[in-house]
Amino acid sequence: MESVIFSGNSNPLLALQISKLLDKTLGKVEIIRFADSECRVRIEEEVEGKDVFIIQSLVNPVDENLMELLLMGDAVKRGEPRKLVAVLPYHGYARQDRMHRPGECLSAQVVARLIEAAGFDKLITLELHNEAIIGFFKIPVIHLSGLSVFRPMVEKMKKDVVIITPDAGALKRSQQFSEGLDLPLAFIEKKRDLDQTHKILSMRVVGEVKDKIAVIVDDVIVTGGTLVNAAHLLKQKGAKQVIAMATHADFVGGADKILQESPVDKIWVTDTIQVPPELQFPKLSIFPIASIIASTIQKMVK
Ligand code: R5P
């Protein structure tokens, strides 16, 4: 089946890597802004009867990137493709997957509706904050994990490793990772201040970490607060080394400094989100994710 891959502006490098692995060139698209910042999109490829993939991470600036995705979707749909697939290496708005306090919006559901309304037939995404978000979609969702790219590194140092769940929401993910490698699991109980964004009130470790290499498994790093607090606690409890792995690095300014100066010894992320050079730091390693996404697309267009 003939296919076309388009890239939004959120992570063009990743889109290019994916298209190269698929032996294709990226489809031509014009994305410009009116003087008042409104986005204007024009697809410059023939898409009729083809399978079309639009690659866009819903990363900061999230609203801009979301709108770009929706408008690209609409532009393609008008060209009557056989199938239109949204490829979101990072799915933003995912942490608002339930009403944490009375009166709140259910952002993850609103975004799911918008993606469907724009005409997408299918979604491919990675390491959702909470898998339950899939239930907000009527279209099929392929949910991939990026954690397998770190597995060989953990396998190499398997002795003395304990996998750490950094909060209740991350349990299933870290459980699967630890079971896959037959490693023990410890748990951090994290309480957040629901009236303030990114504020942690308390943390407590449940499980044995003394003289162990503690490997924290998370979906995303934003301010770095979760990791820094967890690393302090794990070292206090006798962990000899703390390594943090997360599929998405949605760093905000300042995260680079606090992570580099923290007791976390190594931080491993993938490139679902492009980390600009000014936010990279010596403890950080970035693992390529393109092959996981490319092989999924490959299977669909065969
Ligand atoms: C928590 O709910 C998430 O899984 C991450 O642990 C969290 O979003 C990371 O954010 P930050 O780096 O700001 O603590």
Side-chain angles (χ1 to χ4, degrees), residues 196-250:
Q196 289 184 57
T197 52
H198 300 288
K199 175 116 193 292
I200 298 166
L201 289 176
S202 65
M203 276 184 156
R204 187 171 74 95
V205 184
V206 182
E208 195 45 66
V209 299
K210 192 162 172 6
D211 299 326
K212 302 267 191 193
I213 303 171
V215 177
I216 305 171
V217 177
D218 213 347
D219 55 334
V220 60
I221 306 171
V222 185
T223 63
T226 299
L227 291 185
V228 173
N229 285 293
H232 273 292
L233 198 58
L234 291 164
K235 289 252 164 116
Q236 264 169 31
K237 297 284 174 194
K240 61 180 177 187
Q241 200 181 7
V242 176
I243 298 174
M245 54 165 84
T247 302
H248 313 294
D250 193 12

Short mmCIF file of all heavy atoms in Angstrom, two decimals, residues 196-250:
data_model
loop_
_atom_site.label_atom_id
_atom_site.label_comp_id
_atom_site.label_asym_id
_atom_site.label_seq_id
_atom_site.Cartn_x
_atom_site.Cartn_y
_atom_site.Cartn_z
N GLN A 196 -1.30 22.75 43.73
CA GLN A 196 -0.17 23.40 43.05
C GLN A 196 0.42 22.42 42.04
O GLN A 196 0.57 21.24 42.36
CB GLN A 196 0.92 23.76 44.06
CG GLN A 196 0.53 24.91 44.97
CD GLN A 196 1.69 25.27 45.87
OE1 GLN A 196 2.78 25.59 45.39
NE2 GLN A 196 1.47 25.19 47.16
N THR A 197 0.77 22.93 40.84
CA THR A 197 1.31 22.02 39.83
C THR A 197 2.75 21.63 40.20
O THR A 197 3.52 22.46 40.67
CB THR A 197 1.29 22.65 38.42
OG1 THR A 197 1.92 23.92 38.51
CG2 THR A 197 -0.12 22.82 37.91
N HIS A 198 3.10 20.37 39.96
CA HIS A 198 4.45 19.83 40.13
C HIS A 198 4.98 19.89 41.56
O HIS A 198 6.20 19.77 41.76
CB HIS A 198 5.46 20.53 39.19
CG HIS A 198 5.12 20.39 37.74
ND1 HIS A 198 5.26 19.20 37.07
CD2 HIS A 198 4.60 21.27 36.85
CE1 HIS A 198 4.86 19.35 35.81
NE2 HIS A 198 4.45 20.60 35.65
N LYS A 199 4.12 20.11 42.58
CA LYS A 199 4.62 20.21 43.96
C LYS A 199 4.41 18.86 44.68
O LYS A 199 3.32 18.33 44.73
CB LYS A 199 3.88 21.35 44.68
CG LYS A 199 4.22 21.47 46.14
CD LYS A 199 4.91 22.80 46.44
CE LYS A 199 5.55 22.85 47.80
NZ LYS A 199 4.66 22.85 48.92
N ILE A 200 5.52 18.32 45.21
CA ILE A 200 5.44 17.04 45.93
C ILE A 200 5.41 17.33 47.43
O ILE A 200 6.21 18.11 47.95
CB ILE A 200 6.67 16.17 45.59
CG1 ILE A 200 6.68 15.84 44.09
CG2 ILE A 200 6.67 14.87 46.40
CD1 ILE A 200 7.98 15.29 43.58
N LEU A 201 4.48 16.68 48.15
CA LEU A 201 4.37 16.91 49.59
C LEU A 201 5.23 15.94 50.39
O LEU A 201 5.91 16.32 51.34
CB LEU A 201 2.90 16.77 50.04
CG LEU A 201 1.94 17.86 49.61
CD1 LEU A 201 0.53 17.53 50.03
CD2 LEU A 201 2.36 19.21 50.18
N SER A 202 5.19 14.65 50.00
CA SER A 202 5.98 13.66 50.75
C SER A 202 6.27 12.43 49.92
O SER A 202 5.58 12.17 48.92
CB SER A 202 5.21 13.24 52.01
OG SER A 202 4.03 12.56 51.63
N MET A 203 7.32 11.70 50.33
CA MET A 203 7.69 10.46 49.65
C MET A 203 8.17 9.45 50.67
O MET A 203 8.79 9.82 51.67
CB MET A 203 8.84 10.73 48.66
CG MET A 203 8.40 11.24 47.33
SD MET A 203 9.83 11.39 46.24
CE MET A 203 9.07 11.28 44.66
N ARG A 204 7.89 8.17 50.41
CA ARG A 204 8.28 7.10 51.35
C ARG A 204 8.65 5.86 50.53
O ARG A 204 7.95 5.53 49.57
CB ARG A 204 7.07 6.81 52.25
CG ARG A 204 7.29 5.87 53.39
CD ARG A 204 6.03 5.88 54.27
NE ARG A 204 4.93 5.16 53.67
CZ ARG A 204 4.63 3.89 53.92
NH1 ARG A 204 5.35 3.20 54.78
NH2 ARG A 204 3.60 3.29 53.33
N VAL A 205 9.77 5.21 50.91
CA VAL A 205 10.17 4.01 50.16
C VAL A 205 9.61 2.77 50.82
O VAL A 205 9.72 2.61 52.03
CB VAL A 205 11.70 3.84 50.11
CG1 VAL A 205 12.09 2.65 49.22
CG2 VAL A 205 12.38 5.08 49.62
N VAL A 206 9.03 1.88 50.04
CA VAL A 206 8.57 0.58 50.54
C VAL A 206 9.37 -0.48 49.79
O VAL A 206 9.26 -0.58 48.57
CB VAL A 206 7.05 0.38 50.29
CG1 VAL A 206 6.58 -0.95 50.88
CG2 VAL A 206 6.24 1.54 50.83
N GLY A 207 10.21 -1.23 50.50
CA GLY A 207 11.02 -2.27 49.85
C GLY A 207 12.49 -2.09 50.17
O GLY A 207 12.91 -1.06 50.72
N GLU A 208 13.29 -3.09 49.81
CA GLU A 208 14.72 -3.12 50.16
C GLU A 208 15.58 -2.49 49.07
O GLU A 208 15.55 -2.93 47.92
CB GLU A 208 15.11 -4.61 50.37
CG GLU A 208 16.42 -4.80 51.08
CD GLU A 208 16.58 -3.91 52.31
OE1 GLU A 208 15.84 -4.07 53.29
OE2 GLU A 208 17.46 -3.01 52.25
N VAL A 209 16.32 -1.44 49.43
CA VAL A 209 17.18 -0.80 48.42
C VAL A 209 18.65 -0.69 48.88
O VAL A 209 19.51 -0.28 48.11
CB VAL A 209 16.66 0.63 48.05
CG1 VAL A 209 15.26 0.56 47.46
CG2 VAL A 209 16.68 1.58 49.24
N LYS A 210 18.92 -1.11 50.11
CA LYS A 210 20.27 -0.97 50.69
C LYS A 210 21.31 -1.74 49.85
O LYS A 210 21.09 -2.89 49.49
CB LYS A 210 20.26 -1.47 52.13
CG LYS A 210 21.51 -1.11 52.91
CD LYS A 210 21.28 -1.23 54.39
CE LYS A 210 22.50 -1.08 55.26
NZ LYS A 210 23.74 -0.71 54.69
N ASP A 211 22.40 -1.07 49.53
CA ASP A 211 23.50 -1.63 48.73
C ASP A 211 23.07 -2.07 47.32
O ASP A 211 23.73 -2.91 46.69
CB ASP A 211 24.17 -2.81 49.46
CG ASP A 211 24.78 -2.38 50.78
OD1 ASP A 211 25.27 -1.24 50.85
OD2 ASP A 211 24.72 -3.16 51.75
N LYS A 212 21.98 -1.54 46.86
CA LYS A 212 21.47 -1.91 45.53
C LYS A 212 21.68 -0.77 44.53
O LYS A 212 21.83 0.40 44.92
CB LYS A 212 19.95 -2.18 45.59
CG LYS A 212 19.55 -3.25 46.55
CD LYS A 212 19.47 -4.56 45.84
CE LYS A 212 18.80 -5.60 46.72
NZ LYS A 212 18.98 -6.94 46.21
N ILE A 213 21.62 -1.12 43.25
CA ILE A 213 21.55 -0.09 42.20
C ILE A 213 20.06 0.13 41.96
O ILE A 213 19.36 -0.77 41.49
CB ILE A 213 22.21 -0.56 40.88
CG1 ILE A 213 23.67 -0.95 41.14
CG2 ILE A 213 22.09 0.51 39.81
CD1 ILE A 213 24.34 -1.63 39.94
N ALA A 214 19.58 1.29 42.36
CA ALA A 214 18.13 1.57 42.25
C ALA A 214 17.85 2.17 40.87
O ALA A 214 18.40 3.22 40.52
CB ALA A 214 17.72 2.53 43.35
N VAL A 215 17.02 1.48 40.09
CA VAL A 215 16.69 1.96 38.73
C VAL A 215 15.24 2.42 38.72
O VAL A 215 14.31 1.61 38.79
CB VAL A 215 16.94 0.86 37.68
CG1 VAL A 215 16.52 1.36 36.29
CG2 VAL A 215 18.40 0.43 37.67
N ILE A 216 15.05 3.74 38.65
CA ILE A 216 13.70 4.31 38.65
C ILE A 216 13.13 4.26 37.23
O ILE A 216 13.79 4.68 36.27
CB ILE A 216 13.73 5.79 39.11
CG1 ILE A 216 14.41 5.90 40.48
CG2 ILE A 216 12.33 6.38 39.15
CD1 ILE A 216 14.68 7.34 40.93
N VAL A 217 11.91 3.74 37.10
CA VAL A 217 11.27 3.64 35.78
C VAL A 217 10.07 4.59 35.75
O VAL A 217 9.13 4.43 36.51
CB VAL A 217 10.79 2.18 35.52
CG1 VAL A 217 10.06 2.09 34.20
CG2 VAL A 217 11.97 1.22 35.55
N ASP A 218 10.12 5.59 34.86
CA ASP A 218 9.01 6.56 34.80
C ASP A 218 8.61 6.81 33.34
O ASP A 218 9.33 6.44 32.41
CB ASP A 218 9.43 7.87 35.48
CG ASP A 218 8.25 8.56 36.16
OD1 ASP A 218 7.10 8.16 35.89
OD2 ASP A 218 8.47 9.49 36.95
N ASP A 219 7.46 7.45 33.16
CA ASP A 219 7.03 7.76 31.79
C ASP A 219 7.68 9.05 31.30
O ASP A 219 8.14 9.13 30.18
CB ASP A 219 5.49 7.86 31.70
CG ASP A 219 4.89 8.85 32.69
OD1 ASP A 219 5.51 9.10 33.74
OD2 ASP A 219 3.78 9.37 32.43
N VAL A 220 7.72 10.07 32.17
CA VAL A 220 8.16 11.39 31.71
C VAL A 220 8.91 12.13 32.83
O VAL A 220 8.63 11.93 34.02
CB VAL A 220 6.93 12.22 31.23
CG1 VAL A 220 5.90 12.44 32.31
CG2 VAL A 220 7.32 13.56 30.64
N ILE A 221 9.88 12.94 32.41
CA ILE A 221 10.54 13.86 33.35
C ILE A 221 10.19 15.26 32.89
O ILE A 221 10.31 15.58 31.70
CB ILE A 221 12.08 13.69 33.32
CG1 ILE A 221 12.47 12.23 33.56
CG2 ILE A 221 12.74 14.61 34.35
CD1 ILE A 221 13.96 11.95 33.31
N VAL A 222 9.74 16.09 33.83
CA VAL A 222 9.37 17.47 33.45
C VAL A 222 10.26 18.45 34.24
O VAL A 222 11.28 18.91 33.74
CB VAL A 222 7.87 17.74 33.70
CG1 VAL A 222 7.50 19.14 33.18
CG2 VAL A 222 7.00 16.69 33.03
N THR A 223 9.92 18.70 35.50
CA THR A 223 10.77 19.59 36.30
C THR A 223 11.97 18.85 36.88
O THR A 223 12.94 19.45 37.32
CB THR A 223 9.97 20.17 37.50
OG1 THR A 223 9.58 19.08 38.35
CG2 THR A 223 8.75 20.92 37.04
N GLY A 224 11.85 17.52 36.97
CA GLY A 224 12.90 16.71 37.61
C GLY A 224 12.62 16.48 39.09
O GLY A 224 13.32 15.72 39.75
N GLY A 225 11.57 17.14 39.61
CA GLY A 225 11.26 17.07 41.04
C GLY A 225 11.07 15.65 41.56
O GLY A 225 11.61 15.27 42.61
N THR A 226 10.33 14.84 40.81
CA THR A 226 10.07 13.46 41.25
C THR A 226 11.39 12.70 41.40
O THR A 226 11.64 12.05 42.42
CB THR A 226 9.17 12.74 40.20
OG1 THR A 226 7.94 13.45 40.12
CG2 THR A 226 8.90 11.29 40.57
N LEU A 227 12.25 12.81 40.40
CA LEU A 227 13.51 12.06 40.43
C LEU A 227 14.45 12.54 41.51
O LEU A 227 15.08 11.74 42.20
CB LEU A 227 14.21 12.18 39.07
CG LEU A 227 13.56 11.49 37.90
CD1 LEU A 227 14.45 11.60 36.68
CD2 LEU A 227 13.27 10.03 38.23
N VAL A 228 14.57 13.85 41.65
CA VAL A 228 15.51 14.39 42.63
C VAL A 228 15.10 13.97 44.04
O VAL A 228 15.93 13.48 44.82
CB VAL A 228 15.60 15.93 42.51
CG1 VAL A 228 16.45 16.52 43.63
CG2 VAL A 228 16.16 16.32 41.16
N ASN A 229 13.81 14.11 44.35
CA ASN A 229 13.33 13.70 45.68
C ASN A 229 13.50 12.20 45.88
O ASN A 229 13.92 11.75 46.94
CB ASN A 229 11.86 14.09 45.85
CG ASN A 229 11.70 15.58 46.08
OD1 ASN A 229 12.12 16.10 47.10
ND2 ASN A 229 11.15 16.27 45.12
N ALA A 230 13.18 11.43 44.85
CA ALA A 230 13.31 9.97 44.96
C ALA A 230 14.76 9.59 45.17
O ALA A 230 15.08 8.73 46.01
CB ALA A 230 12.77 9.31 43.70
N ALA A 231 15.66 10.23 44.46
CA ALA A 231 17.09 9.88 44.56
C ALA A 231 17.64 10.19 45.95
O ALA A 231 18.40 9.41 46.52
CB ALA A 231 17.88 10.62 43.50
N HIS A 232 17.24 11.33 46.52
CA HIS A 232 17.67 11.67 47.89
C HIS A 232 17.24 10.57 48.84
O HIS A 232 18.03 10.09 49.65
CB HIS A 232 17.04 13.00 48.33
CG HIS A 232 17.85 14.19 47.91
ND1 HIS A 232 19.08 14.47 48.44
CD2 HIS A 232 17.59 15.18 47.01
CE1 HIS A 232 19.57 15.57 47.88
NE2 HIS A 232 18.67 16.02 47.01
N LEU A 233 15.99 10.19 48.72
CA LEU A 233 15.41 9.18 49.61
C LEU A 233 16.10 7.83 49.44
O LEU A 233 16.47 7.16 50.41
CB LEU A 233 13.92 9.06 49.22
CG LEU A 233 12.97 8.43 50.19
CD1 LEU A 233 12.99 9.18 51.51
CD2 LEU A 233 11.55 8.49 49.60
N LEU A 234 16.33 7.45 48.19
CA LEU A 234 16.94 6.13 47.92
C LEU A 234 18.37 6.08 48.44
O LEU A 234 18.81 5.07 49.00
CB LEU A 234 16.89 5.84 46.41
CG LEU A 234 15.48 5.60 45.86
CD1 LEU A 234 15.44 5.71 44.34
CD2 LEU A 234 14.94 4.23 46.30
N LYS A 235 19.10 7.18 48.30
CA LYS A 235 20.48 7.21 48.80
C LYS A 235 20.48 7.19 50.33
O LYS A 235 21.28 6.52 50.95
CB LYS A 235 21.23 8.43 48.25
CG LYS A 235 21.54 8.32 46.76
CD LYS A 235 23.02 8.08 46.46
CE LYS A 235 23.28 7.59 45.05
NZ LYS A 235 24.07 8.50 44.23
N GLN A 236 19.51 7.93 50.93
CA GLN A 236 19.38 7.91 52.41
C GLN A 236 19.14 6.49 52.90
O GLN A 236 19.58 6.10 53.97
CB GLN A 236 18.15 8.72 52.82
CG GLN A 236 18.41 10.15 53.23
CD GLN A 236 17.05 10.86 53.35
OE1 GLN A 236 16.03 10.25 53.69
NE2 GLN A 236 17.05 12.15 53.08
N LYS A 237 18.39 5.72 52.11
CA LYS A 237 18.05 4.35 52.50
C LYS A 237 19.15 3.37 52.11
O LYS A 237 18.97 2.16 52.18
CB LYS A 237 16.72 3.91 51.84
CG LYS A 237 15.53 4.73 52.28
CD LYS A 237 15.09 4.34 53.68
CE LYS A 237 13.99 5.25 54.18
NZ LYS A 237 13.73 5.14 55.60
N GLY A 238 20.27 3.89 51.62
CA GLY A 238 21.45 3.04 51.40
C GLY A 238 21.68 2.57 49.98
O GLY A 238 22.59 1.76 49.75
N ALA A 239 20.90 3.06 48.99
CA ALA A 239 21.14 2.64 47.60
C ALA A 239 22.55 3.10 47.20
O ALA A 239 22.95 4.23 47.50
CB ALA A 239 20.10 3.27 46.67
N LYS A 240 23.33 2.22 46.52
CA LYS A 240 24.70 2.62 46.17
C LYS A 240 24.75 3.43 44.88
O LYS A 240 25.71 4.16 44.64
CB LYS A 240 25.62 1.40 46.11
CG LYS A 240 25.25 0.36 45.07
CD LYS A 240 26.26 -0.80 45.12
CE LYS A 240 25.86 -1.89 44.14
NZ LYS A 240 26.65 -3.09 44.23
N GLN A 241 23.73 3.30 44.07
CA GLN A 241 23.67 4.07 42.83
C GLN A 241 22.19 4.29 42.46
O GLN A 241 21.37 3.40 42.73
CB GLN A 241 24.37 3.30 41.71
CG GLN A 241 24.78 4.16 40.55
CD GLN A 241 25.46 3.36 39.42
OE1 GLN A 241 25.51 2.14 39.44
NE2 GLN A 241 25.94 4.09 38.44
N VAL A 242 21.89 5.43 41.87
CA VAL A 242 20.51 5.67 41.41
C VAL A 242 20.55 6.02 39.91
O VAL A 242 21.25 6.95 39.50
CB VAL A 242 19.82 6.81 42.19
CG1 VAL A 242 18.43 7.09 41.62
CG2 VAL A 242 19.71 6.47 43.67
N ILE A 243 19.82 5.22 39.15
CA ILE A 243 19.71 5.48 37.71
C ILE A 243 18.24 5.73 37.41
O ILE A 243 17.37 5.03 37.94
CB ILE A 243 20.22 4.28 36.89
CG1 ILE A 243 21.71 4.04 37.18
CG2 ILE A 243 19.98 4.49 35.39
CD1 ILE A 243 22.30 2.81 36.55
N ALA A 244 17.96 6.75 36.61
CA ALA A 244 16.56 7.04 36.27
C ALA A 244 16.37 6.84 34.79
O ALA A 244 17.18 7.31 33.98
CB ALA A 244 16.22 8.46 36.66
N MET A 245 15.30 6.13 34.42
CA MET A 245 14.98 6.01 33.00
C MET A 245 13.54 6.45 32.76
O MET A 245 12.65 6.13 33.55
CB MET A 245 15.19 4.58 32.50
CG MET A 245 14.46 3.53 33.29
SD MET A 245 14.40 1.98 32.41
CE MET A 245 15.94 1.31 32.88
N ALA A 246 13.34 7.21 31.71
CA ALA A 246 11.99 7.67 31.37
C ALA A 246 11.93 7.77 29.84
O ALA A 246 12.89 8.19 29.20
CB ALA A 246 11.71 9.03 31.98
N THR A 247 10.79 7.37 29.28
CA THR A 247 10.67 7.41 27.82
C THR A 247 10.71 8.86 27.31
O THR A 247 11.33 9.14 26.30
CB THR A 247 9.35 6.72 27.39
OG1 THR A 247 9.39 5.39 27.88
CG2 THR A 247 9.18 6.71 25.89
N HIS A 248 10.02 9.75 28.04
CA HIS A 248 9.89 11.12 27.53
C HIS A 248 10.66 12.13 28.40
O HIS A 248 10.53 12.11 29.63
CB HIS A 248 8.42 11.55 27.52
CG HIS A 248 7.50 10.53 26.92
ND1 HIS A 248 7.55 10.19 25.59
CD2 HIS A 248 6.49 9.78 27.46
CE1 HIS A 248 6.62 9.27 25.34
NE2 HIS A 248 5.97 9.01 26.46
N ALA A 249 11.39 13.03 27.74
CA ALA A 249 12.10 14.10 28.45
C ALA A 249 11.46 15.42 28.06
O ALA A 249 11.88 16.08 27.11
CB ALA A 249 13.57 14.08 28.05
N ASP A 250 10.42 15.79 28.80
CA ASP A 250 9.71 17.03 28.51
C ASP A 250 10.26 18.12 29.43
O ASP A 250 9.53 18.76 30.17
CB ASP A 250 8.20 16.81 28.77
CG ASP A 250 7.34 17.92 28.20
OD1 ASP A 250 7.87 18.74 27.43
OD2 ASP A 250 6.15 17.97 28.53
#
